Amino acid sequence: MKKLLVFALCIALCIAMAVPSFAESKGKYPADGLVVLFEDDFSDDEIDTEKWSLREGVTVVDGAMSFANGGNWINGGYSATVIPEEDDYFENYVAEFDFTSNAQDCYFGVGVRASANGASEFQNGGRFSVPSASETGSGISFDLAISKNQNPNAVGYIGVAFNDGGAWGDAEQFLVAYPDGFDGKSGHVMIVDLGNLISLYVNNVEVVTITLDGANVKAYNADGEEIFNSSAAAYPDEGSVNFYQRNNSYRVDNVKVSEFKEGSAPETAPATEPAASSIIDESKYDVSYKINKDNATNWANGNINGIDVTYFFKVEDDGLAVAVRGIGLKDGEYVQLNFNPGNYLWEVPGQFISVVLGEKLKVMQHNHKNGLLADDNPGGADITDKVANQVQKTADGYEVVFKLPKALFT
């Protein structure tokens, strides 16, 4: 008779590559529903310091705000932040501007939700090219060009990062590819910030849309494909608009910030329903194991960024009680439990079960006949009706509870 060997349990996470659907609005907005709150075309010879909070090296050159090329090092960085009237931060707004740059060996970009007097928040850029990763700041940065010296694999990408007073080097971040026809040297940039949804457009082409729900942040490219999923993002709820650069002769012109008229703002991200009570009582289990990007990959050795799964186990007289809390898991994806790691226990290899996620669970056994079901189909024999289970979709994934009968192990 086969024994129930829990200490030999090997847990595997298998991620299916399903592409999620996404809200139709994606941050698009009606141009006639906007009221201009701030604009500057830099027609004067000097920058109006009642409109801008500045760090050194920012001047007006040829009718544009110019961030000078400072050479190999800038002491404190070149940065400029819009000062909203009466320090009243922008909400439900569109920020847009034109820019040119030589886009050589370093970075430049734009940040939102910056402190109104915080030109230093992005003093050396966002996440991807800061001279010192320990520098702190607050805001959401869009690095429009990234240092080819420090990040050669990121050339041709926009880098986005989220920070709320921490070190930029630790900030949650992702890359999104340039749209067709954009070389990073000039263009028109537009950011739509609706509170729980932010969209970035370059030359009137949507590049990325970001949904924000507390620490849970997801990003989608223009095709609606999810390219980023984090449950640990930190960022301010509001703020101003900041421009920054290092060693690129960055010039910004025709800056405009507009607010949606009351009732004219586009749809935001779908409202989050109140979180349901957890179906997992952790106190009932003896041991738990956590799997995430720091200690696991998928079957294809791929990265599981944004996935965080905790397994709970308890050996009982009539079987093995299991609970799984999966952050970042979606419909149709599945988790697996391998009861023969390394094929050391029995002659038949690959004895495991799969739990397929969805409105209802599907449980399958692979590669072994047992007292529960005499079917060793390697592709999976359905044992769902023999396994008591409960499933709950959460705001950020799934929770499942089930009991594997003792007969499965005999």
Side-chain angles (χ1 to χ4, degrees):
M1 179 177 290
K2 300 173 184 174
K3 302 295 184 181
L4 178 60
L5 299 174
V6 175
F7 292 105
L9 183 66
C10 175
I11 306 163
L13 174 64
C14 187
I15 306 300
M17 296 302 171
V19 177
S21 60
F22 188 57
E24 288 296 322
S25 66
K26 291 188 185 176
K28 294 178 173 59
Y29 67 96
D32 58 356
L34 296 171
V35 176
V36 176
L37 300 179
F38 175 97
E39 60 183 331
D40 198 340
D41 62 2
F42 307 101
S43 56
D44 296 332
D45 292 335
E46 296 183 355
I47 294 178
D48 187 344
T49 55
E50 293 186 0
K51 288 185 172 182
W52 295 92
S53 174
L54 304 173
R55 290 185 69 85
E56 59 196 83
V58 183
T59 59
V60 173
V61 175
D62 296 332
M65 181 166 62
S66 175
F67 299 76
N69 186 331
N72 188 50
W73 182 258
I74 296 174
N75 183 18
Y78 292 167
S79 179
T81 306
V82 173
I83 301 176
E85 290 187 11
E86 300 178 356
D87 287 341
D88 185 14
Y89 287 132
F90 304 123
E91 295 180 335
N92 292 326
Y93 67 93
V94 177
E96 53 189 314
F97 61 96
D98 299 313
F99 80 90
T100 60
S101 175
N102 59 7
Q104 47 181 44
D105 65 349
C106 229
Y107 62 82
F108 62 86
V110 57
V112 296
R113 304 195 184 187
S115 170
N117 60 356
S120 62
E121 300 286 15
F122 297 91
Q123 63 178 13
N124 279 311
R127 166 69 176 85
F128 289 90
S129 298
V130 292
S132 172
S134 64
E135 291 174 4
T136 61
S138 294
I140 301 174
S141 63
F142 295 85
D143 287 358
L144 300 175
I146 298 173
S147 170
K148 65 184 180 184
N149 293 334
Q150 297 183 37
N151 295 278
N153 294 328
V155 174
Y157 289 82
I158 293 171
V160 185
F162 306 84
N163 201 358
D164 193 12
W168 278 110
D170 297 329
E172 292 290 287
Q173 48 80 20
F174 68 89
L175 293 170
V176 61
Y178 280 172
D180 291 343
F182 179 63
D183 62 3
K185 295 182 179 181
S186 65
H188 180 78
V189 175
M190 180 167 59
I191 298 174
V192 182
D193 187 346
L194 301 177
N196 64 345
L197 185 147
I198 295 176
S199 291
L200 171 71
Y201 297 80
V202 175
N203 295 334
N204 298 316
V205 175
E206 181 183 6
V207 178
V208 65
T209 289
I210 304 165
T211 62
L212 305 103
D213 180 14
N216 302 305
V217 172
K218 297 181 180 181
Y220 303 83
N221 63 19
D223 295 324
E225 299 170 334
E226 183 179 297
I227 58 173
F228 175 70
N229 187 327
S230 172
S231 59
Y235 52 87
D237 292 330
E238 59 182 7
S240 189
V241 181
N242 175 282
F243 300 90
Y244 55 85
Q245 79 93 36
R246 176 171 181 256
N247 203 20
N248 274 288
S249 297
Y250 183 35
R251 292 187 182 182
V252 172
D253 201 1
N254 302 317
V255 177
K256 182 189 296 184
V257 180
S258 305
E259 183 180 51
F260 291 101
K261 297 176 183 177
E262 186 174 354
S264 68
E267 290 183 38
T268 60
T272 302
E273 301 207 357
S277 299
S278 174
I279 62 174
I280 299 174
D281 182 352
E282 298 182 18
S283 67
K284 291 184 176 180
Y285 299 91
D286 292 332
V287 294
S288 64
Y289 301 90
K290 183 183 286 288
I291 285 178
N292 55 34
K293 64 181 178 62
D294 296 326
N295 61 13
T297 64
N298 64 16
W299 278 122
N301 293 320
N303 196 303
I304 59 171
N305 253 352
I307 304 296
D308 190 300
V309 181
T310 304
Y311 294 82
F312 304 87
F313 301 98
K314 180 178 177 62
V315 179
E316 298 179 340
D317 291 341
D318 58 349
L320 179 65
V322 184
V324 182
R325 177 178 293 124
I327 296 173
L329 296 179
K330 305 177 185 68
D331 294 354
E333 296 179 344
Y334 53 95
V335 292
Q336 296 180 325
L337 301 180
N338 182 356
F339 299 102
N340 188 12
N343 303 325
Y344 294 120
L345 301 181
W346 305 304
E347 294 180 0
V348 180
Q351 298 172 348
F352 63 96
I353 68 164
S354 296
V355 179
V356 185
L357 300 172
E359 184 178 352
K360 295 181 178 180
L361 288 188
K362 181 178 182 180
V363 185
M364 297 182 293
Q365 67 180 32
H366 304 262
N367 295 329
H368 62 121
K369 298 178 181 179
N370 52 64
L372 189 66
L373 183 66
D375 190 336
D376 60 357
N377 183 355
D382 194 336
I383 57 172
T384 306
D385 61 349
K386 303 177 185 299
V387 177
N389 67 79
Q390 186 179 2
V391 59
Q392 175 174 273
K393 188 172 179 61
T394 64
D396 50 12
Y398 272 95
E399 289 186 343
V400 297
V401 175
F402 56 95
K403 169 73 76 65
L404 296 176
K406 188 174 182 179
L408 180 71
F409 306 95
T410 59

